[in-house]
Amino acid sequence: MGRIMTTIESEIKVIKYNSLDFHLRLEIAGADLVIEDMDIDVEFIKTRAEEPNKSTVTIWNLSDDIFKKLFDTYAVDVYAWFGDDEPSLIFRGYTDPKSMVKMHAVAGRINTAKGFLASTVKQDNKGQFDIPTVIELIDSKVNYLASKINKTYFGEVTSTQLINDCIEAMGVGIGFISEDLPEKTYKNGYKLIGKPHAVLKTLLDASGAKFNVTNGFIYVQMPTDKNNDTYAVVLNSENSMQPDQQSDDTIVISTRLIPFLNANDWVKLEFKELESLEQVYELRGKCNNYGTAGTTDVIIKVPVEKTKKKKAKKAE
């Protein structure tokens, strides 16, 4: 099957944080808003599974005027970076106004704080003087869960064309499509009808391929896909906790926040008990820009044989 995509290649990096100067920026489409100077908390889950990725964003002491504007839009880009680094898109998602919550100050109290670091009163009592606005984001939910396709092909058509048209109907960009994905020719035409992500899943199931959407880009992968010796980041004992084997095929590595890392990226592991190139299955992270949190749990699915070798090394 010919290539029908362009691959987004990650820059190879070793995590070293010489600066504790950390920044978060929210760019909110439709409302023409950029929020950067306020205290912000972000939690996110990005996964290779087919369900949408999710993020919870908490903005502290948001004005009523800006809060109201959030109901007129739905697209939010969350950027993060350290020091003078280039901003990295940590999450792109869509709001659901029904899930948006603005908490109120405790009865009898006046909201006098100007953020946790600037507050002169009870900085250790988070939330007593600061008012949080909580926004739930779902990655590309608006793009593909609500979209539909109804297209008839007369005459010969290939699975490549069908896949391309499903992705176009989903409204997402192409991050990666496996070159090993087999191509099938339908000589008597074909009809695509229904929700494009469901139709795409049906087209891919026969070959064992899977897809997921991260930050508005779709990734279609075959079980046979292999790494070409490129990777996004090096994880080792200097920048991460030791790998925690939570099941026979699941390893979790806790490390500092890695703004540029996504599920589907490859990481190079350089631990005494585990040295290999592995693909990220899931990321769970949290961070804020007022200096108290910034962590990423890198979840990797590894073959049982590798975990057995890891146990054998440990026994030695």
Side-chain angles (χ1 to χ4, degrees), residues 83 88 108 129 156 190 218 221 225 227 229 232 266 285 308:
S88 296
F129 290 88
E156 186 173 293
Y190 202 91
I218 192 169
Q221 297 179 311
D225 286 341
N227 177 264
D229 293 328
W266 289 80
K308 287 180 177 178

Side-chain angles (χ1 to χ4, degrees), residues 10-298:
S10 299
E11 180 183 353
I12 297 174
K13 295 184 179 180
V14 176
I15 312 172
K16 292 183 179 180
Y17 296 117
N18 297 320
S19 172
L20 296 178
D21 185 15
F22 180 68
H23 307 271
L24 284 169
R25 182 171 73 230
L26 308 181
E27 296 185 0
I28 305 172
D32 194 25
L33 284 176
V34 176
I35 300 175
E36 186 172 339
D37 295 331
M38 308 189 74
D39 289 341
I40 302 170
D41 286 88
V42 176
E43 296 185 12
F44 59 86
I45 299 175
K46 297 190 283 189
T47 178
R48 284 169 55 196
E50 294 175 2
E51 63 265 19
N53 300 323
K54 298 180 180 180
S55 177
T56 300
V57 177
T58 303
I59 309 170
W60 296 91
N61 303 322
L62 194 64
S63 71
D64 290 338
D65 289 341
I66 295 180
F67 178 75
K68 290 175 182 177
K69 286 184 179 181
L70 295 180
F71 283 91
D72 299 325
T73 186
Y74 56 82
V76 179
D77 285 353
V78 182
Y79 289 90
W81 69 98
F82 286 89
D84 295 326
D85 291 348
E86 288 294 321
S88 296
L89 180 62
I90 197 170
F91 198 90
R92 171 174 290 151
Y94 299 83
T95 62
D96 179 0
K98 295 179 182 178
S99 68
M100 202 177 306
V101 179
K102 183 172 184 180
M103 307 299 292
H104 297 285
V106 179
R109 297 186 185 274
I110 299 175
N111 179 35
T112 57
K114 298 180 179 179
F116 299 124
L117 298 185
S119 175
T120 59
V121 288
K122 295 191 176 180
Q123 291 186 34
D124 57 326
N125 292 340
K126 179 177 179 178
Q128 288 209 10
F129 290 88
D130 293 279
I131 302 174
T133 296
V134 181
I135 304 172
E136 300 291 340
L137 302 178
I138 300 181
D139 184 15
S140 299
K141 178 182 180 182
V142 173
N143 287 56
Y144 67 87
L145 292 187
S147 57
K148 295 181 180 180
I149 190 169
N150 189 345
K151 192 169 185 177
T152 301
Y153 304 81
F154 299 97
E156 186 173 293
V157 63
T158 66
S159 56
T160 301
Q161 182 65 52
L162 300 177
I163 289 170
N164 270 327
D165 289 347
C166 283
I167 292 173
E168 182 178 355
M170 290 170 67
V172 296
I174 295 176
F176 173 84
I177 295 181
S178 173
E179 292 184 336
D180 293 337
L181 193 64
E183 184 173 65
K184 183 176 180 179
T185 300
Y186 300 89
K187 295 185 177 180
N188 298 319
Y190 202 91
K191 186 175 181 66
L192 297 176
I193 185 168
K195 295 187 175 182
H197 71 281
V199 178
L200 178 61
K201 184 177 185 302
T202 300
L203 290 170
L204 296 176
D205 278 349
S207 63
K210 302 289 184 181
F211 81 87
N212 78 296
V213 177
T214 299
N215 290 345
F217 289 88
I218 192 169
Y219 296 79
V220 180
Q221 297 179 311
M222 288 286 293
T224 54
D225 286 341
K226 296 181 179 180
N227 177 264
N228 60 356
D229 293 328
T230 62
Y231 48 91
V233 71
V234 177
L235 299 180
N236 54 39
S237 58
E238 294 183 2
N239 56 42
S240 308
M241 302 290 289
Q242 287 296 115
D244 179 18
Q245 186 167 341
Q246 296 194 345
S247 67
D248 283 344
D249 67 345
T250 302
I251 289 176
V252 179
I253 300 173
S254 297
T255 185
R256 288 284 302 274
L257 180 74
I258 311 175
F260 55 84
L261 192 64
N262 287 304
N264 300 299
D265 284 343
W266 289 80
V267 295
K268 186 175 184 180
L269 307 181
E270 294 183 344
F271 295 93
K272 182 178 180 181
E273 298 173 349
L274 184 62
E275 295 185 12
S276 60
L277 283 173
E278 303 292 346
Q279 192 172 27
V280 177
Y281 178 77
E282 186 170 293
L283 293 170
R284 293 177 177 265
K286 60 181 179 180
C287 59
N288 60 54
N289 61 350
Y290 50 87
T292 63
T295 60
T296 302
D297 285 342
V298 181

